[in-house]
Amino acid sequence: RIAFGVNLYNLMMKYANFKVGAPKGKLARNAFFSRVLFNVGGHLYSFSDWEHGIVRGNARAPYNLRKPFDKNDPRMQFVVEKPDYRIHFGLNCSAKSCPPVRVLSAEHLEEELQILAVSFCEDDSNVRIDAQTRQLHVSMIFYWYLVDFTNRGLQSLPKLLAKKFLAGVKQQK
């Protein structure tokens, strides 16, 4: 389900950018993610519905007060039951902070998600460690979706990154 969800989301994003263009500004971006709709299996989905409702297990989007689907929504049957926080390294919403588009396979999903996560974190524009000042600089993805990565707060993020996604010199810092 996760591979299908991520792949379909990325395909829909490419199509929408081609058809209506990339949104410019915060208001246009919000409208783009909530008002561009796709019919998938007879149900309408916005990008927000797909990302936060389906792929993230019906979780609240950053800065939203409620979940995408209520308990009686027929789309609830398609929600990923146990979301994997590494999907954030496979979703591409056309923002600068997003990872490049990749196609995921159900057969190799575990390895592919791990490779995407490590690759994303090894890029200094996404995760940078300043050893002199002892500061960690991370992509906005980690702030927006902190609850998907850890329930122990921001202070637990460096340890999680070092343990799960960093290697070599970066891991030693």
Side-chain angles (χ1 to χ4, degrees):
R1 273 193 176 175
I2 290 176
F4 174 77
V6 170
N7 292 334
L8 188 56
Y9 178 89
N10 290 337
L11 184 62
M12 292 186 316
M13 186 60 65
K14 280 185 170 186
Y15 179 78
N17 276 293
F18 175 74
K19 288 300 263 186
V20 299
K24 307 227 186 304
K26 226 176 214 180
L27 288 176
R29 190 167 178 73
N30 289 341
F32 181 83
F33 280 89
S34 61
R35 294 190 186 138
V36 173
L37 300 175
F38 289 88
N39 185 326
V40 179
H43 300 284
L44 292 178
Y45 297 92
S46 69
F47 288 111
S48 287
D49 293 337
W50 198 262
E51 179 178 355
H52 308 293
I54 300 299
V55 179
R56 289 187 60 230
N58 202 35
R60 283 187 318 106
Y63 314 110
N64 281 17
L65 298 175
R66 58 186 189 92
K67 295 179 177 184
F69 309 142
D70 66 34
K71 64 182 178 185
N72 299 319
D73 193 311
R75 299 171 295 178
M76 281 293 290
Q77 65 184 312
F78 306 113
V79 168
V80 172
E81 291 176 27
K82 292 184 180 177
D84 187 321
Y85 57 85
R86 297 174 300 174
I87 57 105
H88 294 292
F89 307 117
L91 292 175
N92 183 297
C93 68
S94 300
K96 270 196 262 185
S97 58
C98 282
V101 174
R102 299 283 196 263
V103 175
L104 302 177
S105 67
E107 300 82 28
H108 304 289
L109 185 62
E110 276 301 309
E111 301 88 56
E112 291 170 352
L113 285 173
Q114 190 61 27
I115 289 167
L116 289 174
V118 169
S119 166
F120 184 85
C121 293
E122 283 297 314
D123 183 336
D124 280 343
S125 62
N126 298 319
V127 175
R128 184 173 53 84
I129 301 167
D130 186 332
Q132 286 184 321
T133 62
R134 299 181 46 83
Q135 290 185 333
L136 174 68
H137 304 271
V138 295
S139 163
M140 288 304 293
I141 288 174
F142 294 106
Y143 292 103
W144 294 328
Y145 302 106
L146 182 64
V147 298
D148 290 0
F149 290 97
T150 178
N151 60 2
R152 295 188 178 134
L154 196 55
Q155 69 279 1
S156 66
L157 191 59
K159 190 173 187 175
L160 172 99
L161 290 173
K163 183 178 177 184
K164 303 266 185 173
F165 306 128
L166 299 180
V169 174
K170 248 188 183 176
Q171 191 180 46
Q172 302 305 316
K173 290 182 182 180

